[in-house]
Amino acid sequence: IIFNECDIDFKKPVTLVEGPFDLIKCDENATCLLGSSLSKDHELFRSLMANRTPVTLALDSDMQDKSHKIASLLYSAGCDVSIMPLGNFSDVGEMSKDQFIEQKKKSVEWNPMNSLTNKILSIKSGSIL
């Protein structure tokens, strides 16, 4: 299922968050993953792909790797993807709507090089590759 499907216009940019409580703080045209993953088997993915919908990912701060994985999946399907930084918040649910809008303005366009950069930056000093 696609949560909140009747209120989503897939011809316009869509914001994706993890759960319904995060969704309450979003602006218009947003839905949630009802979890922390998205795959080619999900109806939401199919709808985004069919419409080549631009997507802003606003997943929890502890979901960096999964954000990049989802961004890669959507990007490979022809969607423009941005990742919204959460600043000092751990998830969208902690923000007010105004704070959400301000953070969304800081979204960064995603491309495959961003994923590589993220992986490099996550390497801790002294790690064995």
Side-chain angles (χ1 to χ4, degrees), residues 52-103:
R52 293 192 168 204
T53 305
V55 175
T56 299
L57 293 173
L59 305 183
D60 294 1
S61 60
D62 62 348
M63 297 290 297
Q64 281 278 350
D65 289 338
K66 285 191 177 182
S67 290
H68 285 278
K69 184 177 178 181
I70 292 169
S72 177
L73 177 68
L74 292 168
Y75 184 88
S76 69
C79 299
D80 290 332
V81 182
S82 295
I83 295 180
M84 185 180 110
L86 298 184
N88 295 327
F89 301 97
S90 63
D91 67 25
V92 172
E94 293 179 352
M95 300 178 185
S96 68
K97 282 195 182 223
D98 289 338
Q99 290 168 324
F100 172 83
I101 291 167
E102 286 305 310
Q103 285 304 123

Side-chain angles (χ1 to χ4, degrees), residues 21-36:
F21 292 111
D22 297 323
L23 191 57
I24 293 168
K25 305 296 178 89
C26 292
D27 55 0
E28 299 176 2
N29 220 39
T31 190
C32 59
L33 298 172
L34 294 173
S36 61

